[in-house]
Coordinates of all heavy atoms in Angstrom, one line a residue:
S1 N -37.4 148.9 123.0 CA -36.4 148.7 124.0 C -35.2 148.1 123.3 O -35.2 147.6 122.2 CB -37.0 147.5 124.9 OG -37.2 146.4 124.3
P2 N -34.1 148.3 123.9 CA -32.7 148.0 123.2 C -32.7 146.4 123.0 O -33.2 145.6 123.8 CB -31.7 148.3 124.3 CG -32.4 149.3 125.2 CD -33.8 149.0 125.2
V3 N -32.1 146.1 121.9 CA -31.9 144.7 121.5 C -30.4 144.5 121.4 O -29.7 145.3 120.8 CB -32.6 144.4 120.2 CG1 -32.3 142.9 119.8 CG2 -34.1 144.7 120.3
K4 N -29.9 143.5 122.1 CA -28.4 143.2 122.0 C -28.0 142.7 120.6 O -28.7 142.0 119.9 CB -28.0 142.1 123.0 CG -28.2 142.6 124.5 CD -27.8 141.5 125.4 CE -28.0 142.0 126.8 NZ -27.5 141.1 127.8
I5 N -26.8 143.1 120.2 CA -26.3 142.7 118.9 C -26.3 141.1 118.9 O -26.6 140.6 117.8 CB -24.9 143.3 118.6 CG1 -25.0 144.8 118.4 CG2 -24.3 142.7 117.5 CD1 -23.8 145.6 118.3
R6 N -25.9 140.6 119.9 CA -25.9 139.1 120.0 C -27.3 138.5 119.6 O -27.4 137.5 118.9 CB -25.5 138.7 121.4 CG -25.5 137.1 121.5 CD -25.2 136.7 123.0 NE -23.9 137.1 123.3 CZ -22.9 136.0 123.5 NH1 -23.3 134.8 123.4 NH2 -21.7 136.4 123.8
E7 N -28.3 139.2 120.1 CA -29.6 138.7 119.8 C -30.0 138.9 118.3 O -30.6 138.1 117.6 CB -30.7 139.5 120.6 CG -32.2 139.1 120.3 CD -32.5 137.6 120.6 OE1 -31.8 137.0 121.4 OE2 -33.5 137.1 120.0
I8 N -29.6 139.9 117.7 CA -29.8 140.2 116.2 C -29.1 139.2 115.4 O -29.6 138.6 114.5 CB -29.4 141.6 115.9 CG1 -30.4 142.6 116.6 CG2 -29.4 141.9 114.4 CD1 -29.9 144.1 116.5
V9 N -27.8 139.0 115.8 CA -27.0 138.0 115.1 C -27.6 136.6 115.1 O -27.7 135.8 114.2 CB -25.5 138.0 115.6 CG1 -24.7 136.8 115.0 CG2 -24.8 139.3 115.3
T10 N -28.1 136.3 116.3 CA -28.7 134.9 116.5 C -29.9 134.8 115.6 O -30.2 133.8 115.0 CB -29.1 134.8 118.0 OG1 -27.8 134.7 118.8 CG2 -29.7 133.4 118.3
R11 N -30.7 135.9 115.7 CA -32.0 135.8 114.8 C -31.7 135.7 113.4 O -32.3 135.0 112.6 CB -32.9 137.1 115.1 CG -33.5 137.1 116.5 CD -34.4 138.4 116.6 NE -34.7 138.5 118.0 CZ -35.7 139.3 118.3 NH1 -36.4 140.0 117.5 NH2 -36.0 139.5 119.6
I12 N -30.7 136.5 112.9 CA -30.3 136.3 111.5 C -29.8 134.9 111.2 O -30.1 134.4 110.2 CB -29.2 137.4 111.1 CG1 -29.9 138.8 111.2 CG2 -28.6 137.2 109.7 CD1 -28.9 140.0 111.1
A13 N -28.9 134.4 112.0 CA -28.4 133.0 111.8 C -29.5 132.0 111.8 O -29.5 131.1 110.9 CB -27.4 132.7 113.0
Q14 N -30.5 132.2 112.6 CA -31.6 131.2 112.6 C -32.4 131.3 111.3 O -32.7 130.3 110.7 CB -32.6 131.5 113.8 CG -32.0 131.1 115.1 CD -32.8 131.7 116.3 OE1 -33.6 132.6 116.2 NE2 -32.5 131.1 117.5
K15 N -32.6 132.5 110.8 CA -33.4 132.7 109.6 C -32.6 132.2 108.4 O -33.1 131.8 107.4 CB -33.7 134.3 109.3 CG -34.7 134.7 110.3 CD -34.9 136.2 110.2 CE -35.9 136.8 111.2 NZ -37.2 136.1 111.2
L16 N -31.2 132.1 108.5 CA -30.4 131.6 107.4 C -30.0 130.2 107.6 O -29.1 129.6 106.9 CB -29.1 132.5 107.2 CG -29.5 134.0 106.8 CD1 -28.2 134.8 106.9 CD2 -30.1 134.1 105.4
D17 N -30.5 129.5 108.6 CA -30.1 128.1 109.0 C -28.6 128.1 109.3 O -27.9 127.1 108.8 CB -30.5 127.1 107.9 CG -32.1 127.1 107.9 OD1 -32.7 127.1 109.0 OD2 -32.6 126.9 106.8
G18 N -28.0 129.1 109.9 CA -26.6 129.1 110.1 C -26.2 129.2 111.5 O -25.2 129.8 111.8
E19 N -27.1 128.7 112.4 CA -26.7 128.9 113.9 C -25.4 128.3 114.2 O -24.6 128.8 115.1 CB -27.8 128.3 114.8 CG -29.2 128.9 114.7 CD -30.1 128.1 113.8 OE1 -29.7 127.5 112.8 OE2 -31.3 127.9 114.1
T20 N -25.0 127.2 113.6 CA -23.8 126.5 113.9 C -22.5 127.3 113.5 O -21.4 127.0 113.9 CB -23.7 125.1 113.3 OG1 -23.9 125.2 111.9 CG2 -24.8 124.2 113.8
L21 N -22.8 128.2 112.6 CA -21.6 129.0 112.1 C -21.3 130.2 112.9 O -20.2 130.7 112.9 CB -22.0 129.6 110.7 CG -22.2 128.6 109.6 CD1 -22.8 129.2 108.3 CD2 -21.1 127.8 109.3
V22 N -22.2 130.6 113.9 CA -21.9 131.7 114.8 C -21.2 131.2 116.0 O -21.7 130.3 116.7 CB -23.2 132.3 115.2 CG1 -23.0 133.5 116.1 CG2 -24.0 132.9 113.9
K23 N -20.1 131.8 116.3 CA -19.2 131.4 117.4 C -19.0 132.6 118.3 O -17.9 133.3 118.2 CB -17.9 130.7 117.0 CG -18.1 129.6 116.0 CD -18.5 128.4 116.7 CE -18.4 127.2 115.6 NZ -19.5 126.3 115.7
F24 N -19.9 132.9 119.2 CA -19.6 134.1 120.1 C -18.5 133.8 121.0 O -18.3 132.8 121.6 CB -20.9 134.3 121.0 CG -22.2 134.8 120.2 CD1 -23.2 134.0 120.0 CD2 -22.1 136.0 119.5 CE1 -24.3 134.4 119.2 CE2 -23.2 136.5 118.8 CZ -24.3 135.6 118.7
G25 N -17.7 134.9 121.1 CA -16.4 134.8 121.9 C -15.3 134.1 121.3 O -14.2 134.0 122.0
S26 N -15.3 133.7 120.0 CA -14.2 132.9 119.4 C -13.0 134.0 119.0 O -12.0 133.5 118.9 CB -14.6 132.3 118.2 OG -15.2 133.2 117.2
I27 N -13.3 135.2 119.0 CA -12.4 136.2 118.7 C -12.3 137.2 120.0 O -13.4 137.6 120.4 CB -12.7 137.1 117.5 CG1 -12.8 136.2 116.3 CG2 -11.7 138.2 117.4 CD1 -13.2 136.9 115.0
P28 N -11.1 137.4 120.6 CA -11.0 138.2 121.8 C -11.5 139.6 121.5 O -11.3 140.1 120.5 CB -9.6 138.1 122.1 CG -8.9 137.1 121.2 CD -9.8 136.8 120.2
E29 N -12.1 140.1 122.5 CA -12.6 141.6 122.4 C -11.4 142.4 122.6 O -10.5 142.2 123.4 CB -13.6 141.8 123.5 CG -14.6 142.9 123.2 CD -15.7 142.9 124.3 OE1 -16.4 141.9 124.3 OE2 -15.8 144.0 124.9
P30 N -11.3 143.5 121.7 CA -10.2 144.5 121.8 C -10.2 145.1 123.2 O -11.2 145.3 123.9 CB -10.5 145.5 120.7 CG -11.4 144.8 119.8 CD -12.2 143.8 120.6
P31 N -9.0 145.4 123.8 CA -8.8 145.8 125.1 C -9.7 147.0 125.5 O -10.2 147.2 126.7 CB -7.4 146.1 125.3 CG -6.8 145.9 124.0 CD -7.8 145.3 123.1
H32 N -9.9 147.9 124.6 CA -10.6 149.2 125.0 C -12.0 149.3 124.3 O -12.5 150.3 124.0 CB -9.8 150.4 124.5 CG -8.5 150.5 125.2 ND1 -8.3 150.7 126.6 CD2 -7.2 150.3 124.7 CE1 -7.1 150.7 126.8 NE2 -6.3 150.4 125.8
S33 N -12.7 148.1 124.1 CA -14.0 148.0 123.6 C -15.0 148.6 124.5 O -14.9 148.4 125.7 CB -14.4 146.7 123.3 OG -13.7 146.2 122.2
P34 N -15.9 149.5 124.1 CA -17.0 150.0 125.0 C -17.8 148.9 125.6 O -18.1 147.8 124.9 CB -17.8 150.9 124.1 CG -17.4 150.6 122.7 CD -16.2 149.9 122.7
A35 N -18.2 148.9 126.8 CA -19.0 147.9 127.4 C -20.4 147.8 126.8 O -21.0 146.7 126.7 CB -19.1 148.2 128.9
K36 N -20.9 148.9 126.3 CA -22.2 148.9 125.7 C -22.3 150.0 124.7 O -21.8 151.1 124.7 CB -23.2 149.3 126.9 CG -24.7 149.1 126.4 CD -25.6 149.6 127.5 CE -25.8 148.6 128.6 NZ -26.8 148.9 129.5
I37 N -23.0 149.6 123.5 CA -23.2 150.5 122.4 C -24.6 150.5 122.1 O -25.3 149.5 122.0 CB -22.5 150.0 121.1 CG1 -20.9 150.1 121.4 CG2 -22.8 151.0 120.0 CD1 -20.2 149.4 120.2
L38 N -25.3 151.7 122.1 CA -26.7 151.8 121.9 C -26.9 152.7 120.6 O -26.4 153.8 120.6 CB -27.5 152.4 123.1 CG -27.5 151.7 124.4 CD1 -28.1 152.4 125.5 CD2 -28.3 150.3 124.1
A39 N -27.8 152.2 119.8 CA -28.2 153.1 118.6 C -29.2 154.0 119.1 O -30.1 153.7 119.9 CB -28.7 152.1 117.6
N40 N -29.1 155.2 118.5 CA -30.1 156.2 118.8 C -30.7 156.7 117.5 O -30.0 157.4 116.6 CB -29.5 157.4 119.6 CG -30.5 158.4 120.0 OD1 -31.6 158.6 119.4 ND2 -30.2 159.2 121.0
I41 N -32.0 156.5 117.3 CA -32.6 156.9 116.0 C -33.3 158.2 116.0 O -34.1 158.5 115.1 CB -33.5 155.7 115.4 CG1 -34.7 155.5 116.3 CG2 -32.7 154.5 115.2 CD1 -35.8 154.7 115.7
D42 N -33.1 158.9 117.1 CA -33.8 160.2 117.2 C -33.6 161.2 116.1 O -34.5 161.9 115.6 CB -33.4 160.9 118.5 CG -34.0 160.3 119.8 OD1 -35.0 159.5 119.7 OD2 -33.5 160.5 120.9
K43 N -32.3 161.2 115.6 CA -32.0 162.1 114.5 C -32.7 161.6 113.2 O -33.2 162.5 112.5 CB -30.4 162.0 114.2 CG -29.9 163.1 113.4 CD -28.3 163.1 113.3 CE -27.9 164.3 112.5 NZ -26.4 164.4 112.6
L44 N -32.8 160.4 113.0 CA -33.6 159.9 111.9 C -35.1 160.3 112.0 O -35.7 160.8 111.1 CB -33.6 158.4 111.7 CG -32.3 157.8 111.1 CD1 -32.3 156.3 111.3 CD2 -32.2 158.1 109.7
K45 N -35.6 160.2 113.2 CA -37.0 160.7 113.4 C -37.1 162.1 113.2 O -38.1 162.5 112.5 CB -37.4 160.3 114.9 CG -37.6 158.8 115.1 CD -38.0 158.5 116.5 CE -38.2 157.0 116.8 NZ -38.5 156.8 118.2
N46 N -36.3 162.9 113.8 CA -36.4 164.4 113.8 C -36.0 165.0 112.5 O -36.7 166.0 112.1 CB -35.6 165.0 115.0 CG -36.0 164.5 116.3 OD1 -37.2 164.2 116.6 ND2 -35.1 164.5 117.3
E47 N -35.0 164.6 111.9 CA -34.5 165.3 110.7 C -35.1 164.7 109.3 O -35.2 165.4 108.3 CB -33.0 165.3 110.6 CG -32.3 166.1 111.7 CD -30.9 166.2 111.7 OE1 -30.3 165.9 110.6 OE2 -30.3 166.6 112.7
V48 N -35.4 163.4 109.4 CA -35.8 162.8 108.2 C -37.3 162.3 108.3 O -38.0 162.1 107.2 CB -34.9 161.5 107.8 CG1 -35.3 160.9 106.5 CG2 -33.4 162.0 107.7
G49 N -37.8 162.2 109.4 CA -39.1 161.7 109.7 C -39.3 160.2 109.6 O -40.4 159.7 109.5
W50 N -38.2 159.5 109.7 CA -38.2 158.0 109.6 C -38.5 157.4 111.0 O -37.8 157.8 112.0 CB -37.0 157.5 109.0 CG -36.9 156.0 108.9 CD1 -37.4 155.3 107.8 CD2 -36.5 155.0 109.8 NE1 -37.3 153.9 108.0 CE2 -36.7 153.7 109.2 CE3 -35.9 155.1 111.1 CZ2 -36.4 152.5 109.9 CZ3 -35.6 153.9 111.7 CH2 -35.8 152.7 111.2
T51 N -39.3 156.4 111.0 CA -39.5 155.6 112.2 C -39.7 154.2 111.7 O -40.2 153.9 110.6 CB -40.7 156.0 113.1 OG1 -41.9 156.0 112.2 CG2 -40.6 157.4 113.7
P52 N -39.3 153.2 112.5 CA -39.4 151.8 112.1 C -40.9 151.5 111.9 O -41.8 152.0 112.7 CB -38.9 151.0 113.3 CG -38.1 152.1 114.1 CD -38.6 153.3 113.8
T53 N -41.3 150.7 111.0 CA -42.7 150.4 110.7 C -42.9 148.8 110.9 O -44.0 148.4 110.9 CB -43.1 150.8 109.3 OG1 -42.3 150.2 108.4 CG2 -43.1 152.3 109.2
L54 N -41.8 148.1 111.0 CA -41.9 146.6 111.1 C -41.4 146.1 112.4 O -40.4 146.7 112.9 CB -41.2 145.9 109.9 CG -41.6 146.2 108.5 CD1 -40.7 145.6 107.6 CD2 -43.0 145.7 108.3
P55 N -41.9 145.1 113.0 CA -41.3 144.4 114.0 C -39.8 143.9 113.6 O -39.6 143.7 112.4 CB -42.2 143.2 114.5 CG -43.4 143.6 113.8 CD -43.1 144.4 112.6
L56 N -38.9 143.8 114.6 CA -37.5 143.4 114.2 C -37.5 142.1 113.4 O -36.9 142.2 112.3 CB -36.7 143.2 115.5 CG -35.3 142.8 115.3 CD1 -34.5 143.8 114.4 CD2 -34.6 142.5 116.6
D57 N -38.2 141.1 113.8 CA -38.0 139.8 113.1 C -38.6 140.0 111.6 O -38.1 139.4 110.7 CB -38.9 138.7 113.8 CG -38.0 138.0 114.9 OD1 -36.8 137.9 114.6 OD2 -38.5 137.7 115.9
E58 N -39.7 140.7 111.5 CA -40.2 140.9 110.1 C -39.3 141.7 109.3 O -39.1 141.5 108.1 CB -41.6 141.6 110.2 CG -42.4 141.6 109.0 CD -43.8 142.2 109.2 OE1 -44.3 142.2 110.3 OE2 -44.3 142.8 108.1
G59 N -38.6 142.7 109.9 CA -37.7 143.6 109.2 C -36.5 142.8 108.8 O -35.9 143.0 107.6
L60 N -36.0 141.9 109.6 CA -34.9 141.0 109.3 C -35.2 140.1 108.1 O -34.4 140.0 107.2 CB -34.4 140.2 110.5 CG -33.8 141.1 111.6 CD1 -33.5 140.1 112.8 CD2 -32.5 141.7 111.1
S61 N -36.4 139.5 108.2 CA -36.8 138.6 107.1 C -36.9 139.4 105.8 O -36.5 138.9 104.7 CB -38.2 138.0 107.5 OG -38.0 137.1 108.5
S62 N -37.5 140.6 105.8 CA -37.6 141.4 104.7 C -36.3 141.7 104.1 O -36.1 141.7 102.8 CB -38.4 142.6 105.0 OG -38.6 143.5 103.9
T63 N -35.4 142.2 104.9 CA -34.0 142.5 104.5 C -33.3 141.3 103.8 O -32.6 141.4 102.8 CB -33.2 143.1 105.6 OG1 -33.9 144.3 106.2 CG2 -31.8 143.5 105.2
I64 N -33.3 140.2 104.5 CA -32.8 138.9 103.9 C -33.3 138.6 102.6 O -32.6 138.3 101.6 CB -32.9 137.7 105.0 CG1 -32.0 138.0 106.2 CG2 -32.6 136.4 104.3 CD1 -32.4 137.1 107.3
S65 N -34.6 138.7 102.5 CA -35.3 138.5 101.2 C -34.9 139.4 100.2 O -34.6 139.0 99.0 CB -36.9 138.5 101.4 OG -37.5 138.3 100.1
W66 N -34.7 140.7 100.5 CA -34.3 141.7 99.5 C -32.9 141.3 99.0 O -32.5 141.4 97.9 CB -34.3 143.1 100.2 CG -33.9 144.2 99.3 CD1 -34.7 144.9 98.5 CD2 -32.5 144.7 99.1 NE1 -33.9 145.8 97.7 CE2 -32.6 145.8 98.1 CE3 -31.3 144.4 99.7 CZ2 -31.5 146.5 97.7 CZ3 -30.2 145.2 99.3 CH2 -30.3 146.1 98.3
W67 N -31.9 141.0 99.9 CA -30.6 140.6 99.6 C -30.5 139.4 98.7 O -29.8 139.3 97.7 CB -29.6 140.4 100.8 CG -29.1 141.7 101.3 CD1 -29.5 142.4 102.4 CD2 -28.1 142.6 100.8 NE1 -28.9 143.6 102.5 CE2 -27.9 143.7 101.5 CE3 -27.3 142.4 99.6 CZ2 -27.0 144.7 101.2 CZ3 -26.4 143.5 99.3 CH2 -26.3 144.5 100.2
R68 N -31.4 138.4 99.0 CA -31.4 137.2 98.2 C -31.9 137.5 96.7 O -31.4 137.0 95.7 CB -32.3 136.2 98.9 CG -31.6 135.5 100.0 CD -32.5 134.4 100.6 NE -31.7 133.6 101.6 CZ -32.3 132.9 102.5 NH1 -33.6 132.9 102.7 NH2 -31.5 132.3 103.3
N69 N -32.9 138.4 96.7 CA -33.4 138.8 95.3 C -32.4 139.5 94.6 O -32.3 139.3 93.4 CB -34.7 139.7 95.5 CG -35.9 138.8 95.9 OD1 -36.0 137.6 95.8 ND2 -36.9 139.4 96.6
L70 N -31.7 140.4 95.3 CA -30.6 141.2 94.6 C -29.5 140.2 94.1 O -29.0 140.4 93.0 CB -30.0 142.2 95.6 CG -28.9 143.0 95.0 CD1 -29.3 143.9 93.9 CD2 -28.3 143.8 96.1
E71 N -29.1 139.3 94.9 CA -28.1 138.3 94.5 C -28.6 137.5 93.3 O -27.8 137.3 92.3 CB -27.8 137.3 95.7 CG -26.7 136.3 95.4 CD -26.5 135.4 96.7 OE1 -27.2 135.5 97.6 OE2 -25.5 134.7 96.5
M72 N -29.9 137.1 93.3 CA -30.4 136.3 92.2 C -30.4 137.2 90.9 O -30.1 136.8 89.8 CB -31.9 135.9 92.4 CG -32.5 135.0 91.4 SD -31.5 133.5 91.1 CE -31.7 132.6 92.7
M73 N -30.7 138.5 91.0 CA -30.8 139.4 89.8 C -29.4 139.5 89.3 O -29.1 139.6 88.1 CB -31.4 140.7 90.2 CG -32.9 140.7 90.4 SD -33.8 140.0 89.1 CE -33.6 141.2 87.9
N74 N -28.4 139.7 90.3 CA -27.0 139.8 89.8 C -26.5 138.5 89.0 O -25.8 138.6 88.1 CB -26.1 140.1 90.9 CG -26.2 141.5 91.5 OD1 -26.7 142.4 90.7 ND2 -25.9 141.8 92.7
L75 N -27.0 137.4 89.5 CA -26.6 136.1 88.9 C -27.2 136.1 87.5 O -26.6 135.6 86.5 CB -27.0 134.9 89.7 CG -26.3 134.5 91.0 CD1 -26.9 133.5 91.7 CD2 -24.8 134.2 90.6
I76 N -28.4 136.5 87.3 CA -29.2 136.4 86.0 C -28.4 137.4 85.1 O -28.3 137.1 83.9 CB -30.6 136.8 86.2 CG1 -31.3 135.7 87.0 CG2 -31.3 137.1 84.9 CD1 -32.8 136.0 87.4
R77 N -28.0 138.5 85.6 CA -27.3 139.5 84.8 C -25.9 139.2 84.5 O -25.2 139.8 83.6 CB -27.3 140.9 85.4 CG -28.7 141.5 85.4 CD -28.6 142.9 86.0 NE -29.8 143.4 86.5 CZ -30.1 144.0 87.7 NH1 -29.1 144.2 88.5 NH2 -31.2 144.4 88.0
G78 N -25.4 138.2 85.1 CA -24.0 137.7 85.0 C -23.0 138.7 85.7 O -21.8 138.8 85.4
E79 N -23.4 139.3 86.8 CA -22.5 140.3 87.5 C -21.9 139.5 88.6 O -22.4 138.5 89.3 CB -23.3 141.4 88.1 CG -23.9 142.3 87.1 CD -24.7 143.4 87.5 OE1 -24.8 143.7 88.8 OE2 -25.4 144.1 86.7

């Protein structure tokens, strides 16, 4: 089922202990913004054979962990 971008941002902020940094509505929406944007992963499924294997929260946690590990490796390498 569709998940609102607001919900994804909120979940990421919670995982990073940054809920107070997120200010929904603090920047005005551009005049011609679409009312709704939906991602369609049918092309990924049909052409590449990819389908999600993790629930959203687990996938977000895994992605955050991956980025943190990459950041740590870059610090160790002096990048």
Side-chain angles (χ1 to χ4, degrees):
S1 68
V3 179
K4 293 181 179 187
I5 292 174
R6 177 183 290 253
E7 178 64 23
I8 293 172
V9 170
T10 299
R11 290 182 190 193
I12 292 169
Q14 289 169 343
K15 291 177 181 304
L16 297 173
D17 294 323
E19 297 100 323
T20 59
L21 299 174
V22 177
K23 308 284 186 217
F24 291 110
S26 61
I27 298 174
E29 206 168 301
H32 300 291
S33 291
K36 188 184 281 189
I37 300 173
L38 294 174
N40 183 338
I41 63 168
D42 288 344
K43 194 169 186 178
L44 282 169
K45 288 180 182 178
N46 297 333
E47 294 184 16
V48 183
W50 181 87
T51 57
T53 58
L54 299 174
L56 180 59
D57 277 322
E58 192 176 334
L60 291 174
S61 293
S62 178
T63 301
I64 290 167
S65 178
W66 183 86
W67 277 106
R68 284 181 170 160
N69 288 337
L70 179 65
E71 183 179 7
M72 185 59 68
M73 292 304 295
N74 288 338
L75 285 173
I76 291 170
R77 291 185 199 136
E79 294 177 10

